[in-house]
Amino acid sequence: MALRTVLAFCLTLMMASAALATSGDQNSIEVWRSPTCDCCGKWVKHLEANGFAVTVNSAAPSTLEQIKRQAGITEDLASCHTAKIDGYVIEGHVPASDIKRLVAEHPDAIGLTVPGMPAGSPGMEQPDGEAESYDVLLVKKTGATEAFAHH
Ligand SMILES: [Cu+2]
């Protein structure tokens, strides 16, 4: 291989790994869920369909509970699955678009939650098309919440 070709190849590799490094933090999301949780699996598919690289961990209910509390998700803010991305916690059926906005805006906060499991949220699609309106809440470091998005 000519030296110039080798150099060009190295440069391409370097650029590719640089691109991976910058997008890695904001695209890689780790999820903890109960192995029997059907809507959790559907939410993971929603994230993958929106370009996230998802790592899924099966966790027993007591472990899940512990992960939520350690992340600052109290019982009234809790839902089924818990995820972490770029230093933030994502609780429940948060739409991928809101996660992308969170990591782009990078607010000083714990993360986002959709408490409970509203019908029609990503992963909670109903066979009859029923959809409730719901808020995505930004959880501040003080534990206070504010509306981040409304759907
Ligand atoms: Cu769910």
Side-chain angles (χ1 to χ4, degrees):
M1 215 187 291
L3 182 60
R4 202 162 29 167
T5 316
V6 173
L7 284 176
F9 183 67
C10 288
L11 192 65
T12 310
L13 270 186
M14 275 164 56
M15 288 192 302
S17 58
L20 276 178
T22 45
S23 65
D25 278 348
Q26 301 200 333
N27 265 325
S28 301
I29 186 162
E30 187 164 10
V31 180
W32 287 264
R33 50 162 287 189
S34 150
T36 55
C37 176
D38 193 40
C39 57
C40 299
K42 289 181 181 164
W43 184 70
V44 166
K45 288 212 169 70
H46 163 75
L47 295 184
E48 287 171 342
N50 283 278
F52 286 99
V54 190
T55 306
V56 181
N57 304 285
S58 287
S62 58
T63 311
L64 262 180
E65 189 93 345
Q66 211 179 344
I67 289 167
K68 292 178 201 298
R69 297 304 171 265
Q70 278 170 357
I73 300 297
T74 54
E75 207 178 323
D76 56 321
L77 296 177
S79 179
C80 38
H81 48 261
T82 303
K84 287 184 184 169
I85 180 169
D86 201 18
Y88 291 108
V89 59
I90 307 293
E91 175 73 12
H93 292 265
V94 178
S97 56
D98 291 326
I99 302 173
K100 287 181 181 173
R101 204 186 114 203
L102 177 80
V103 294
E105 293 181 1
H106 224 274
D108 186 30
I110 288 173
L112 297 177
T113 180
V114 173
M117 302 206 288
S121 57
M124 283 297 293
E125 293 85 0
Q126 304 301 301
D128 62 1
E130 186 205 340
E132 308 172 36
S133 61
Y134 62 94
D135 284 330
V136 176
L137 302 176
L138 181 72
V139 185
K140 311 284 232 98
K141 287 186 170 158
T142 59
T145 59
E146 65 181 41
F148 184 79
H150 183 75
H151 297 277

